[in-house]
Amino acid sequence: MPRIGLIAALHDELSTVLQRLPDEQRESVAGRDFWCGHWHGHALVAVLARVGKVAAATTATALIERFGVDRILFTGTAGGLAPGVRVGDVVLARTLLQHDMDASPLFPRHEVPLYGRARFDADRRLSDAVAAAARTALGHVEATLGAHVVQEFALHAPALHEGLIVSGDRFVATAAASAALRAELPDALAVEMEGAAVAQVCHDYGIPFAALRTISDRADDSAHVDFTRFIARVASPISAAVLEAYFSSLSNM
Ligand code: ADE
């Protein structure tokens, strides 16, 4: 029976999950609360990572070493980089990279020293299952969010994008900074602050990993506007709906 580690970036997401675990028990490790329980009959350990690559790596390591999870899912928000990636869309990582890794000239730009690579792939099978769950959830997003929220945030029918997510210890909040990232990494779909670190930890341990992000902003000068409100009204309900579809699909296997 799988034991799934769920890392959420947002408190709201965790509370949605916790409400659905009939038997959750809290354990504190490394200053974090880990909630162990079952969802749709599947063992789950849910935790809030906090922000940034180091916090995410510590969290992932504890999930693996102390809680024995055999796969890790990450949900949260990201800034859209590629032209068609709009606020309200969902991005599934197929590969991840640390955009602020730079050990040049000793190693090529972005390469993680001594790994011989800059990109860490998400697990194909796990990501396929999460993609299917996301398609199911996005199919009835208006019912999930309510028509007034769709209108308030001027959301179009949200699309699912799959490809490169880049991570770094910086909230990207100017048009110049996002243009620089686009120029440097033209295939990057979205930017956030944790995913590639967790991908590296999962690579080290040979644990399948998938990351799904709701686009909260365009990583430009208006990136901070209504961020908190967007998370509560849009990002959290979307990721809860995707997780619900994912866990119920496991039960049907
Ligand atoms: N997470 C959500 N939006 C982001 C942004 N613009 N930069 C980094 N991380 C983010």
Side-chain angles (χ1 to χ4, degrees), residues 177-190:
S178 57
L181 275 178
R182 264 192 298 276
E184 219 179 344
L185 296 158
D187 60 333
L189 297 174

Side-chain angles (χ1 to χ4, degrees), residues 79-166:
L81 285 178
V85 178
R86 302 189 289 189
V87 170
D89 285 356
V90 169
V91 177
L92 178 78
R94 289 294 179 171
T95 189
L96 301 100
L97 169 149
Q98 297 173 41
H99 68 74
D100 53 357
M101 176 58 77
D102 187 359
S104 60
L106 302 182
F107 295 90
R109 178 88 173 99
H110 298 130
E111 185 171 307
V112 181
L114 309 181
Y115 282 74
R117 61 169 71 210
R119 295 179 184 220
F120 290 81
D121 289 342
D123 181 73
R124 170 130 25 121
R125 251 185 91 196
L126 181 58
S127 300
D128 285 349
V130 174
R135 277 188 213 99
T136 303
L138 293 180
H140 41 76
V141 75
E142 188 152 336
T144 301
L145 300 180
H148 58 292
V149 173
V150 171
Q151 211 172 9
E152 178 187 344
F153 290 92
L155 301 175
H156 304 269
L160 173 67
H161 307 270
E162 301 179 39
L164 173 65
I165 289 184
V166 297

Side-chain angles (χ1 to χ4, degrees), residues 3 5 17 23 25 28 34 40 47 70 83 89 98 106 130 164 178 187 196-197 206 211 215 227 244:
R3 187 168 168 84
V17 170
D23 57 347
Q25 284 185 342
S28 191
F34 291 77
H40 285 283
V47 57
D70 59 12
D89 285 356
Q98 297 173 41
L106 302 182
V130 174
L164 173 65
S178 57
D187 60 333
I215 298 300
F227 191 64
E244 172 65 37

